[in-house]
Amino acid sequence: MRFNKICVFGLGYIGLPTASTFATHGLRVVGVDVNPQVIQTLHTGGLHIHEPGLRTLVQAAIGSGNLTICEQAEASDAFIIAVPTPFFEDKSADLRFVTSAAEAIVPHLRPGNLVILESTSPPRTTVDIVAPILQHSGLVPGSDFYLAYSPERVLPGQILRELIENARVIGGVDHASAEAGRELYSVFVRGDIFLTDATTAEMVKLMENTYRDVNIGIANEFARLADRFGIDVWEAINLANRHPRVNILRPGPGVGGHCISVDPWFLVEAAPDLATLIRATRQVNDSQPHYVLDLIQRAAGELKGRQITALGLAYKPDVDDLRESPAIEIVHLLVDAGAKVTVYEPYKPDAQLPGTRTAASLTEALQDADLAVLLVAHKPLIEAQPTQAAAWMRGRLVVDAVNGWDAQSWQQAGFGVYRLGVGKLKVEG
Ligand code: SAJ
């Protein structure tokens, strides 16, 4: 094995599990992050992100002596860039973390080293942006050192398992670079490893997340159509999905998180004349919180002064990640409409949002509410008992934006139930 010591840039949701997994598999790993708070937290045994099993893994990696955490890169056999790629206000990719990580590698780069970009990036970033920066070292990618792109495909909530088990795509600037990537990741990857070129690998990642975005977008549009035509979209999707070649995803309050709501824009930015379906999908999914607000207004009428409880703030069920969460956008819209909003996020009960009251428990959240809105299908929220809710709440109205509740039980407990994607005819049941 040529790569015994590696340097991982970015100790977030991808970099930290990756660095730790390499370390627990025997490599010497230097984990680098530009945020002193992250370094400080990790040095004192804490963790700045929540992911099942990660604390134990990080402790094992640091405890073994194989993982060290610092602010500066060191000479290594391989370098992995796993930094965020957010977008600017105009939706163009912000590659500043990627370029500064590449610049930090330059002084340490030696012949025979391997550099891998894992951050989700617009097509051609590896060859057009990263390679020229690394060339400032005087070394040529593909001749003097190896350079590859390998996308991360792990699902938040299941990162540790998927990191090892998922199939992995490694795209080299030349074949030897892809092979070098295979050698490195084979240390822990048990899924199949597929080799290709760097730009194809970048596209693969963007296509996966864009495909999911389009599928959710059409589900959201179907929900709006079902609502107009007075049918239940959930029933219709279940029936359509009995077709052997159809698999429609779930409508909801919108698409959040740091991946699917961001990545498709990289394609729109790179080829605005071609990516018209992708842009339209983004617009549908980005406007879904407004659609949910509209549903709440239809249920409750005037929102000004109404006591509304928002249940769930995370971007998806059973995670505590609030990044780009459509639930939070809906809360902002409710506050703007003049409602008195109480928020309850069971996985982050101290989360504060401007203009709202934070409740620490479901009981506290529902106390005296006129209306409760289910925004995330967290397990502890969908298990809420309508009879108990009836005892705590002042009003008898619920809005379910995620199809998490059994409408009949709520109706039996005396509630008016409004569900996303269910037209009036079915609501009355
Ligand atoms: N969502 C729906 N309906 C659905 C499925 C999801 O509205 O049927 C919403 C979720 O509530 C959430 C958003 O979409 O707001 C995204 O959630 P997700 O579970 O689809 O995806 P992420 O963002 O957690 O992770 C995705 C994954 N990509 C794919 O499944 C193609 C993951 O494998 C990637 O590694 C990750 O993006 C990433 O890092 O890019």
Side-chain angles (χ1 to χ4, degrees):
M1 167 75 176
R2 288 173 286 176
F3 312 110
N4 297 309
K5 180 180 176 190
I6 67 169
C7 209
V8 177
F9 290 82
L11 298 175
Y13 281 90
I14 301 302
L16 186 58
T18 303
S20 306
T21 305
F22 272 119
T24 55
H25 283 72
L27 266 61
R28 279 188 300 136
V29 183
V30 180
V32 182
D33 203 288
V34 291
N35 184 343
Q37 258 177 333
V38 168
I39 308 276
Q40 162 86 1
T41 306
L42 290 168
H43 275 160
T44 51
L47 205 56
H48 56 294
I49 48 180
H50 173 82
E51 175 65 27
L54 185 59
R55 184 176 293 274
T56 314
L57 178 71
V58 172
Q59 279 168 357
I62 294 175
S64 72
N66 279 344
L67 176 61
T68 51
I69 308 287
C70 55
E71 276 181 66
Q72 301 290 333
E74 283 178 20
S76 298
D77 303 315
F79 301 87
I80 294 179
I81 301 174
V83 295
T85 42
F87 53 39
F88 291 112
E89 193 85 352
D90 69 352
K91 311 287 188 198
S92 63
D94 177 356
L95 292 175
R96 286 176 296 178
F97 293 116
V98 171
T99 52
S100 52
E103 281 156 8
I105 294 171
V106 171
H108 304 289
L109 199 60
R110 303 284 173 267
N113 280 175
L114 165 64
V115 179
I116 295 188
L117 176 62
E118 281 200 13
S119 311
T120 305
S121 303
R124 302 193 58 84
T125 299
T126 308
V127 288
D128 288 348
I129 293 175
V130 175
I133 293 174
L134 295 174
Q135 258 174 293
H136 290 148
S137 63
L139 302 175
V140 179
S143 310
D144 302 323
F145 69 96
Y146 305 111
L147 175 61
Y149 179 83
S150 182
E152 193 42 70
R153 308 154 107 186
V154 290
L155 196 69
Q158 302 180 30
I159 291 180
L160 302 195
R161 184 177 58 77
E162 291 205 357
L163 200 57
I164 290 171
E165 291 179 6
N166 283 2
R168 189 144 202 137
V169 174
I170 302 172
V173 295
D174 63 338
H175 187 69
S177 292
E179 283 291 359
R182 189 212 302 267
E183 190 179 329
L184 177 62
Y185 286 110
S186 296
V187 165
F188 66 75
V189 171
R190 296 288 157 260
D192 293 329
I193 295 181
F194 299 97
L195 304 189
T196 181
D197 64 87
T199 306
T200 301
E202 291 164 348
M203 273 298 282
V204 166
K205 170 69 189 190
L206 297 173
M207 284 162 54
E208 288 166 357
N209 279 356
T210 300
Y211 165 80
R212 196 159 168 84
D213 196 36
V214 172
N215 195 336
I216 299 167
I218 203 160
N220 283 335
E221 199 157 283
F222 286 153
R224 299 176 190 188
L225 292 169
D227 192 356
R228 169 148 327 159
F229 300 137
I231 64 149
D232 180 334
V233 77
W234 304 95
E235 180 191 359
I237 288 175
N238 272 339
L239 295 173
N241 283 351
R242 302 302 287 263
H243 185 291
R245 286 173 294 284
V246 172
N247 184 21
I248 303 164
L249 293 178
R250 295 169 65 86
V255 170
H258 199 63
C259 308
I260 298 189
S261 63
V262 177
D263 302 353
W265 287 116
F266 293 173
L267 292 174
V268 175
E269 182 200 359
D273 53 327
L274 300 177
T276 52
L277 171 64
I278 299 170
R279 182 202 297 272
T281 296
R282 282 281 73 244
Q283 283 160 350
V284 168
N285 288 338
D286 274 354
S287 62
Q288 193 70 356
H290 291 267
Y291 190 78
V292 172
L293 178 77
D294 184 58
L295 177 66
I296 299 169
Q297 272 164 338
R298 276 187 280 152
E302 174 60 46
L303 298 180
K304 204 167 166 40
R306 303 293 289 279
Q307 187 67 56
I308 297 182
T309 296
L311 296 174
L313 296 176
Y315 85 94
K316 69 174 186 176
D318 299 318
V319 299
D320 75 340
D321 190 341
L322 308 187
R323 290 179 300 173
E324 321 280 342
S325 172
I328 291 181
E329 197 180 335
I330 292 166
V331 169
H332 289 321
L333 293 172
L334 288 169
V335 171
D336 289 348
K340 292 184 184 150
V341 184
T342 297
V343 296
Y344 175 52
E345 170 45 68
Y347 294 99
K348 231 178 204 170
D350 53 357
Q352 310 268 347
L353 293 186
T356 69
R357 187 176 73 90
T358 298
S361 67
L362 187 62
T363 323
E364 191 190 328
L366 292 179
Q367 208 70 51
D368 296 332
D370 293 321
L371 160 72
V373 192
L374 180 62
L375 295 175
V376 186
H378 287 317
K379 204 158 178 284
L381 296 180
I382 57 180
E383 284 169 353
Q385 292 302 317
T387 43
Q388 279 188 323
W392 298 327
M393 287 174 62
R394 182 168 56 206
R396 290 289 175 275
L397 207 51
V398 289
V399 174
D400 180 354
V402 292
N403 197 30
W405 285 335
D406 174 45
Q408 250 185 346
S409 331
W410 285 85
Q411 280 161 350
Q412 278 162 9
F415 284 91
V417 180
Y418 283 73
R419 297 162 65 206
L420 176 76
V422 181
K424 255 204 157 29
L425 300 178
K426 288 268 172 163
V427 171
E428 304 309 330

